[in-house]
Amino acid sequence: MKKYLFLSIITFGFLFSCGSSDDSKKEEVQTSQGEWVPQQIQLIKIVPVYTVAYPHTAGCTKDFLQLSTDNTAKFFHYEGRSCEETEYENAFQRSGNNVSLNIMSYQISGTITTETETNMVIESDISEYVPLIKAMFPEYEQYLSVLEGGTVKLSLNKK
């Protein structure tokens, strides 16, 4: 069950598209373009509380985020025995290092804290995910108060 909780946090935590019109931000977009594979999820409450490898479905293509030159993004998720592909479009908007998600009518905000040509880290306050977790995983509601004030940190590597 923990795997599904973390998978949901991550799946909803990085569906995004880049947007920019000035030259300094174009360099940022050029760094971000391409396919990004989620590698690690870390829950932090003062110190890292839990670190786990992103739960890609065994035997399937690894999930990835595709950032395009036209400022759009798609997230590709693979699951099940047949490795069924689910494609999510335009679920995330970017303004500088700030990101805003609209997932199932839930607004989630985060910040890109690291961005190089090969690595990107997106951090969000765990409170951003509370309404979504309550809706999708009501059995975890009793544990959410323990994580209050914590951070979700997602690391992605460029393919």
Side-chain angles (χ1 to χ4, degrees):
M1 215 39 154
K2 286 181 185 177
K3 177 180 176 178
Y4 294 112
L5 173 64
F6 293 117
L7 180 58
S8 292
I9 290 172
I10 295 313
T11 298
F12 299 123
F14 66 87
L15 304 172
F16 69 91
S17 64
C18 298
S20 175
S21 60
D22 69 86
D23 291 338
S24 65
K25 290 185 181 177
K26 284 184 182 177
E27 289 181 46
E28 190 174 273
V29 172
Q30 289 173 354
T31 300
S32 299
Q33 292 173 23
E35 295 178 352
W36 294 84
V37 178
Q39 298 296 315
Q40 183 180 43
I41 305 161
Q42 193 172 53
L43 295 177
I44 302 168
K45 175 95 180 204
I46 301 173
V47 296
V49 175
Y50 192 75
T51 301
V52 63
Y54 177 88
H56 294 284
T57 302
C60 296
T61 301
K62 290 184 176 184
D63 297 349
F64 67 94
L65 177 68
Q66 181 182 57
L67 300 174
S68 301
T69 57
D70 66 354
N71 297 326
T72 61
K74 295 179 184 177
F75 177 65
F76 296 87
H77 175 65
Y78 300 88
E79 66 183 330
R81 290 184 183 176
S82 63
C83 296
E84 183 177 324
E85 177 185 276
T86 304
E87 182 179 321
Y88 300 91
E89 295 189 42
N90 300 320
F92 196 110
Q93 296 296 315
R94 178 177 180 169
S95 176
N97 287 334
N98 296 316
V99 289
S100 176
L101 299 128
N102 182 359
I103 307 297
M104 296 169 35
S105 300
Y106 296 97
Q107 289 298 120
I108 299 172
S109 299
T111 303
I112 296 174
T113 57
T114 302
E115 184 173 15
T116 68
E117 290 189 26
T118 59
N119 181 258
M120 185 184 314
V121 177
I122 301 169
E123 292 187 28
S124 298
D125 188 292
I126 189 71
S127 66
E128 295 287 328
Y129 293 92
V130 168
L132 182 62
I133 293 169
K134 285 180 179 180
M136 295 185 68
F137 302 99
E139 66 273 18
Y140 287 110
E141 186 171 354
Q142 64 186 348
Y143 303 110
L144 292 173
S145 63
V146 174
L147 296 174
E148 189 174 307
T151 302
V152 176
K153 186 175 179 179
L154 170 66
S155 298
L156 302 104
N157 289 343
K158 198 166 194 176
K159 270 188 174 181

